[in-house]
């Protein structure tokens, strides 16, 4: 995977047309988490810290619904 953006506490990577967001989901210890995201969400997350936070929460909530 190639990192195409790194700021606001996130990395956005792209591989074969698929986009991924990686961030630290840990509280006291570092726990890196990666989600596959849409291209439009990848673009949104690059806009600002608030937009990146909204994208992170969206995918965390999706995962909680599936568990």
């Amino acid at each position: 995977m190639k990192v195409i953006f790194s700021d606001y506490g996130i990395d956005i990577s792209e591989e074969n047309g698929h986009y991924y967001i990686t961030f630290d989901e840990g509280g006291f210890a570092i726990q890196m988490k990666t989600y596959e995201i849409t291209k439009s969400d990848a673009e949104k997350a690059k806009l600002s810290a608030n937009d990146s936070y909204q994208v992170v929460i969206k995918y965390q909530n999706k995962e909680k619904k599936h568990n």
Side-chain angles (χ1 to χ4, degrees), residues 6-20:
S6 185
D7 202 357
Y8 314 127
I10 63 166
D11 288 340
I12 297 176
S13 304
E14 186 270 332
E15 183 174 51
N16 298 324
H18 295 268
Y19 294 84
Y20 303 88

Side-chain angles (χ1 to χ4, degrees), residues 43-59:
E43 294 300 321
K44 178 180 179 177
K46 293 192 270 184
L47 296 175
S48 70
N50 185 54
D51 288 313
S52 67
Y53 176 74
Q54 289 176 12
V55 172
V56 165
I57 294 301
K58 175 182 176 178
Y59 287 89

